[in-house]
Amino acid sequence: MNPVITAFESSPDRGRGLARDMRVRWALEEVGQPCEVRLVSFKAMKEPAHRARNPFGQIPTYEEGDLVLFESGAIVLHVAERHAGLLPDDANARMRAIAWMFAALNTIEPPIHELANARILEGDKPWTAQRIDAIKERIRTRLGDLSVRLGETDWLDGAFSAGDLVMVHALLRLKPSGLLDEYPNLVAYVARAEARPAYQRAFAAQRAVFARSQHKARSAK
Ligand SMILES: N[C@@H](CCC(=O)N[C@@H](CS)C(=O)NCC(=O)O)C(=O)O
């Protein structure tokens, strides 16, 4: 039986691959594990059946036999632990790759997410512009340090790993802000990851869901 993941029935990012099911799809593609996708509406996400999978009523979730997981990082880690290809065999290198996953989720992603929140949820407040400037500075601090560490290497620590996968997916959300462009080696890093065939397949799959949802909405009019 293939694992089942959940994704937005109609993604608010309009198929740009920014929703967090993308990182799970991408990890599964990297290791060659097919999956089934259960699409959920915003309403269904907040209902008990989905909250039993994710107490916060969010996507993505992951079901495999008796195992039900939420949190994209935990799901990617599980996939990477179960299959070859996303974590090195050497114990120390493996732990360092996992540390990069945590860095992506705990150090890099939070201010990026805050920027989106400030724009979307607080865009009409008198203090928004100042807040956005402050968040951008925090993001620059993180990107500057990440850029220095990456240097001229292809990936964060040796071969491409789950750490790079989660990091790149967190960085992708920054593209429209122009902030990433201030760090050419990070732009190249993201482009290198996007060029991976597994990324391309995962991106096409989530985009097809959005295209179908648009088609359905037009036909219903
Ligand atoms: N930390 C969680 C965050 C999950 C999350 O924010 N999911 C978003 C989609 S990317 C969602 O479901 N948003 C709808 C909502 O919160 O109602 C993870 O990494 O899985």
Side-chain angles (χ1 to χ4, degrees), residues 8 18-21 23 42 45-46 54 56-60 70-73 105 109 113 173:
F8 283 129
L18 301 178
R20 287 171 177 84
D21 61 292
R23 53 186 72 163
F42 273 94
M45 282 164 63
K46 305 303 173 194
N54 180 328
F56 307 110
Q58 296 187 310
I59 59 102
F70 60 101
E71 284 298 330
S72 59
L105 296 166
E109 188 159 65
H113 197 56
R173 198 175 275 264

Side-chain angles (χ1 to χ4, degrees), residues 43-55 57:
K43 182 171 173 289
M45 282 164 63
K46 305 303 173 194
E47 284 169 1
H50 188 73
R51 281 192 193 273
R53 295 179 206 111
N54 180 328

Side-chain angles (χ1 to χ4, degrees), residues 127-138:
W127 36 261
T128 300
Q130 256 183 311
R131 176 155 161 69
I132 286 180
D133 286 347
I135 297 171
K136 281 184 167 176
E137 271 320 295
R138 288 206 288 280

Side-chain angles (χ1 to χ4, degrees), residues 6-116:
T6 51
F8 283 129
E9 188 178 69
S10 178
S11 182
D13 79 348
R14 307 186 62 78
R16 286 185 299 144
L18 301 178
R20 287 171 177 84
D21 61 292
M22 176 63 196
R23 53 186 72 163
V24 175
R25 291 174 183 272
W26 183 9
L28 290 166
E29 287 287 353
E30 288 283 351
V31 302
Q33 169 63 58
C35 69
E36 310 298 324
V37 182
R38 184 187 301 121
L39 301 176
V40 285
S41 64
F42 273 94
K43 182 171 173 289
M45 282 164 63
K46 305 303 173 194
E47 284 169 1
H50 188 73
R51 281 192 193 273
R53 295 179 206 111
N54 180 328
F56 307 110
Q58 296 187 310
I59 59 102
T61 59
Y62 178 96
E63 291 155 80
E64 183 189 4
D66 289 345
L67 176 68
V68 182
L69 285 176
F70 60 101
E71 284 298 330
S72 59
I75 299 169
V76 172
L77 180 56
H78 171 73
V79 170
E81 292 274 13
R82 284 290 157 94
H83 303 268
L86 282 174
L87 288 175
D89 290 335
D90 172 77
N92 285 355
R94 196 176 181 90
M95 225 26 253
R96 288 198 304 274
I98 294 171
W100 277 116
M101 292 181 67
F102 277 79
L105 296 166
N106 284 348
T107 305
I108 298 288
E109 188 159 65
I112 294 175
H113 197 56
E114 268 316 289
L115 184 62

